[in-house]
Amino acid sequence: MEKHERQWLVCYDIRDRKRLYYAERICGDYAVRVQNSIYEFQGKECHMKEFKRLMEFFLDKDEDSLLIVELCDNDYKKRRKYGVETPDEVLYEKYFQIL
């Protein structure tokens, strides 16, 4: 991880299928899916601002919700995962964590 990179946990609840489709596409471009509507985002603050701008464009503030939690380095390192890894996680660990 680069010096200025941070980690976030991103969760959403979206009511409409069309908005859900766009949210999944945006999240998939910026983060790694952990569960259906939960993603781990790792990057610079400018990337998170761009991500939030895109998500806010598609979300309906009266029906949908988006939760973004910034994780400090210590908390991020304490995370534990049990069970199978998703294909996104395997690719992310293999190709992007090495850099």
Side-chain angles (χ1 to χ4, degrees), residues 28-97:
D29 288 344
Y30 284 86
V32 174
R33 177 177 260 161
V34 178
Q35 290 187 0
N36 282 343
S37 60
I38 302 173
Y39 290 79
E40 285 184 357
F41 185 110
Q42 183 174 336
K44 295 181 180 180
E45 182 72 32
C46 62
H47 298 138
M48 176 51 77
K49 286 180 182 178
E50 183 178 305
F51 169 79
K52 285 193 284 191
R53 183 182 56 79
L54 288 169
M55 290 295 285
E56 287 174 358
F57 180 79
F58 286 105
L59 293 179
D60 182 327
K61 291 176 178 45
D62 295 328
E63 293 185 6
D64 305 329
S65 63
L66 174 67
L67 174 66
I68 301 172
V69 180
E70 184 172 356
L71 303 171
C72 69
D73 288 336
N74 290 334
D75 287 339
Y76 187 74
K77 290 176 186 172
K78 290 179 192 175
R79 78 192 196 297
R80 300 290 179 262
K81 179 157 189 221
Y82 301 96
V84 297
E85 292 184 359
T86 65
D88 289 344
E89 290 176 297
V90 173
L91 288 174
Y92 185 78
E93 292 292 328
K94 184 175 181 182
Y95 294 107
F96 298 108
Q97 295 293 340

